[in-house]
Amino acid sequence: MDNSKKVWFVTGASKGLGLALVKKLLTEGYRVAATSRDVKSLSLAVDNNTSNFLPLQVELLNEESVLKAIQDVINTFGGIDVLVNNAGYGQIGTLEEMTDVEARENFDINIFGLLNVTRNMMSHFRTKKSGHIINVSSIAGLLGTFPGWGVYCATKFAVVGLTEALSAEAKEFNVKATIVYPGYFNTNFLKEGSMKMPANPIADYTAARNTEVWHETQMIGNQPGDPDKAALAFIQLAEMENAPLHFFMGSDSFGMAYNKIEVLQNELTANEVLSKSTDYKK
C-alpha cells in the first residue's frame, strides 16, 4: 500500500465512467473506496481483491448509510483526499410527459444523493483543511436544448450551480471543487439500467421521439469518448495544484460549450439596450 498517494471515494462505480476510473486508479496504485447499491456486482465488475480497494454498499439517499461509508473509509485508509460524485442516471421524457414521481426520482439520485455525500464529506475535508470534490455533471448541465431531456438537464444544471457555490464556501478550508461536463462516452449510459424512458409518452412530441431514436440507433456504439482516457483526465485534475472549476470532457462537449458561449454573447449584444433599461436612472 502506497500511503503517499491520494485516497479516492467514488460513487456510482459499478459501471460507466465510475468503473473505468476505479480500475485505472487501482492500476496506478491509489487507494480507492467505491460505492454502489449492489456491492457484489461492484466487486465483480472491478475484479480487484487487493487491500487498496474498499467496495461499499451505500444508499445515497440514506444519510446514515452515507455517514457509515465515509467513516469506514477513514477507518480503513486513514482519511479521504478526493471525492468523485459520479452516481446518477438519465431520464428521457418531455416536461409534459414526465410525472411528478419520475422527475423527483431523477432529482433524488442526481442531486440529493450527491448533496448527501458532499455535505457529510465536507465535515472531514473541513477538519483536515484539504480535499477535492469532483462533481460529474454533463454537457447537458450547460446546454439544455435537447428535446426530451428537460428533467435530466435540470438535474445537471443544478450540479453546476451547487458546485460553483461549494467552490466559494470551501475555499477558506483549502478544499477544491471541480465540475466535469462529459460529452458522449462509450459506456452503458444510453443502455437499459442507466436510462429511463417516460411511463406515459405523448406521440405528438416528434422532436423528442426522433431524439430517442437517434440515440438508440445512431449514437450507441459510436460515442467519441474513450472511458479509459476519461479516467486519466480525472486523475490529472486531482493532481493539479490549480484545478479548474469547470472542465469540459471530450471534443464534443468542448465544441458544444463554445457554441453555447457564442449564443450567449450574441444575445447579450443584441439585447444590451433592453437589458440595461431596467436600471434606475442616475
Side-chain angles (χ1 to χ4, degrees):
M1 183 180 295
D2 185 354
N3 291 328
S4 67
K5 290 202 168 188
K6 290 182 172 70
V7 175
W8 289 63
F9 187 106
V10 182
T11 71
S14 62
K15 54 189 174 183
L17 291 180
L19 177 59
L21 173 58
V22 168
K23 286 185 171 181
K24 181 62 69 175
L25 286 167
L26 291 168
T27 298
E28 297 293 324
Y30 290 92
R31 291 164 290 165
V32 184
T35 80
S36 174
R37 288 172 295 176
D38 184 349
V39 74
K40 290 183 179 179
S41 65
L42 170 62
S43 297
L44 286 172
V46 174
D47 191 24
N48 186 299
N49 296 318
T50 69
S51 59
N52 277 1
F53 179 49
L54 180 63
L56 298 164
Q57 184 164 325
V58 179
E59 293 295 332
L60 297 181
L61 298 181
N62 184 316
E63 198 144 13
E64 289 184 4
S65 179
V66 171
L67 272 169
K68 181 180 183 303
I70 291 172
Q71 193 57 55
D72 285 347
V73 181
I74 294 170
N75 292 342
T76 302
F77 294 137
I80 302 166
D81 301 297
V82 184
L83 163 63
V84 179
N85 279 309
N86 172 71
Y89 70 91
Q91 175 66 63
I92 292 180
T94 66
L95 297 179
E96 183 184 355
E97 292 169 333
M98 296 299 298
T99 66
D100 183 66
V101 170
E102 288 172 318
R104 288 179 185 274
E105 285 180 349
N106 203 208
F107 269 89
D108 275 346
I109 298 301
N110 291 7
I111 291 299
F112 292 106
L114 178 150
L115 273 172
N116 271 349
V117 180
T118 300
R119 179 171 52 250
N120 290 290
M121 189 67 74
M122 269 305 300
S123 176
H124 175 57
F125 284 173
R126 177 169 49 82
T127 299
K128 71 197 287 277
K129 296 293 191 294
S130 68
H132 192 172
I133 297 175
I134 301 175
N135 287 335
V136 180
S137 177
S138 165
I139 188 56
L142 178 77
L143 183 66
T145 51
F146 301 102
W149 292 78
V151 167
Y152 175 75
C153 288
T155 68
K156 293 304 184 178
F157 268 73
V159 170
V160 173
L162 67 86
T163 309
E164 287 190 344
L166 174 67
S167 72
E169 296 165 355
K171 186 176 182 180
E172 65 180 298
F173 307 112
N174 195 36
V175 176
K176 296 177 285 187
T178 296
I179 307 154
V180 174
Y181 303 78
Y184 289 101
F185 277 81
N186 193 13
T187 68
N188 58 359
F189 177 73
L190 296 177
K191 299 177 182 178
E192 187 176 355
S194 296
M195 186 72 62
K196 291 187 179 181
M197 306 299 289
N200 303 300
I202 299 171
D204 289 347
Y205 283 103
T206 55
R209 300 292 85 81
N210 289 339
T211 298
E212 292 169 16
V213 171
W214 180 81
H215 280 94
E216 293 171 357
T217 62
Q218 302 297 316
M219 179 52 72
I220 290 182
N222 293 311
Q223 299 99 318
D226 182 338
D228 292 331
K229 292 180 179 179
L232 289 172
F234 275 110
I235 294 171
Q236 286 183 253
L237 286 170
E239 296 298 336
M240 287 181 182
E241 184 175 347
N242 298 305
L245 174 56
H246 302 274
F247 178 72
F248 294 90
M249 184 178 280
S251 59
D252 53 348
S253 175
F254 192 88
M256 284 187 273
Y258 256 107
N259 291 341
K260 175 65 179 281
I261 292 168
E262 184 178 6
V263 168
L264 289 174
Q265 288 177 327
N266 289 340
E267 292 189 345
L268 282 169
T269 301
N271 298 287
E272 181 177 1
V273 173
L274 180 59
S275 293
K276 294 179 177 179
S277 72
T278 59
D279 293 349
Y280 284 109
K281 290 184 178 179
K282 295 180 180 179

